[in-house]
Amino acid sequence: MADGKSILVDVSRCTGCRGCQVACKQWNGLPGTRTKQTGTYQNPPDFSHQTFKVVRFEDGRTKEGKTYWHFFSDMCRHCMNPPCLAGAQGDEMIHDDATGAVVYTEGTSKSDFEMSLSVCPYNIPRQDPDTKVMRKCTMCFDRITSGLTPACVLSCPTGAMVFGERDAMLAEARRRVDILKKTWPRAQALNADDVRVIFIVTDDPLKYHKYAAGV
Ligand code: SF4
Ligand code: SF4
């Protein structure tokens, strides 16, 4: 496979505006979902077959008593060697050679959903309860194969999300982490060698989300 593409998600620049979440819904023609207020600003509470991008909100207090917010614009990592493809029998799941995108097709209605979910380190795939088709982010496959930027990246007003050639994104991740470490010693790029969607965090990954660094 060629080096392909990557997305960088630098949460140190994320303001939790949810522009990426809305852009994902718009481009993919996905409806909003009715939710209940549970005491968090995060909405909706999780992925679904109609939600491929979720900005997670976690707040807490430092040892000094200061309030902090951690935003985590969660999505499929488009793994370099995707465990979720292990059970694929035919072309129901595609690992695109040129871009590296992992794309599920309508054929996943015949896939073993529970198995795919259980082997995904990031708890990503969801299943349409009516059609049984498995759904998740496609890296905006239709856009990137037309030379366009993924909708979520295009919408990001702060530069938290960047899309490009994998080598360039890895170099940019290293550059940003080197700078961030001067202020936040725990700054790191999560599993950068294993995934195409590379998250940069500045704190313990578990403070952002249970599956932030995979399981
Ligand atoms: Fe598959 Fe999960 Fe990796 Fe996405 S993050 S490619 S769903 S194993
Ligand atoms: Fe964060 Fe950018 Fe998404 Fe806004 S659009 S929530 S700043 S990643």
Side-chain angles (χ1 to χ4, degrees), residues 76-79 82-85 102 104 119-122 124-125 136:
C76 170
R77 306 303 196 274
H78 294 273
C79 301
C84 62
L85 298 191
V102 178
Y104 292 176
V119 298
C120 172
Y122 304 97
I124 299 294
K136 69 166 189 67

Side-chain angles (χ1 to χ4, degrees), residues 127-138:
Q127 187 180 45
D128 185 322
D130 298 323
T131 66
K132 306 303 179 194
V133 171
M134 288 166 49
R135 310 293 307 277
K136 69 166 189 67
C137 160
T138 67

Side-chain angles (χ1 to χ4, degrees), residues 6 12 15 17 20 33 48 51 57 61 67 70 73 90-91 99 105 108 115 123-124 142 145 151 164 169 178 189 203:
S6 269
S12 75
T15 60
C17 73
C20 51
T33 45
S48 75
T51 302
F57 286 57
R61 282 187 185 276
T67 301
H70 280 339
S73 177
D91 60 1
T99 61
T105 73
T108 53
M115 194 278 286
N123 193 245
I124 299 294
D142 46 356
T145 50
M169 293 301 99
D178 284 348
D203 201 351

Side-chain angles (χ1 to χ4, degrees), residues 197-214:
V197 179
I198 304 163
F199 282 80
I200 294 177
V201 296
T202 55
D203 201 351
D204 178 352
L206 288 173
K207 286 191 181 172
Y208 294 84
H209 178 49
K210 179 180 175 184
Y211 298 104

Side-chain angles (χ1 to χ4, degrees), residues 80-93:
M80 302 298 286
N81 295 296
C84 62
L85 298 191
Q89 305 292 320
D91 60 1
E92 66 267 31
M93 300 177 187

Side-chain angles (χ1 to χ4, degrees), residues 139-178:
M139 203 192 273
C140 276
F141 191 62
D142 46 356
R143 291 179 63 88
I144 63 176
T145 50
S146 301
L148 299 174
T149 301
C152 57
V153 179
L154 190 65
S155 77
C156 182
T158 66
M161 298 191 71
V162 192
F163 173 76
E165 298 301 319
R166 178 167 174 77
D167 286 350
M169 293 301 99
L170 285 169
E172 177 65 3
R174 285 191 292 270
R175 189 187 74 80
R176 291 195 186 192
V177 168
D178 284 348

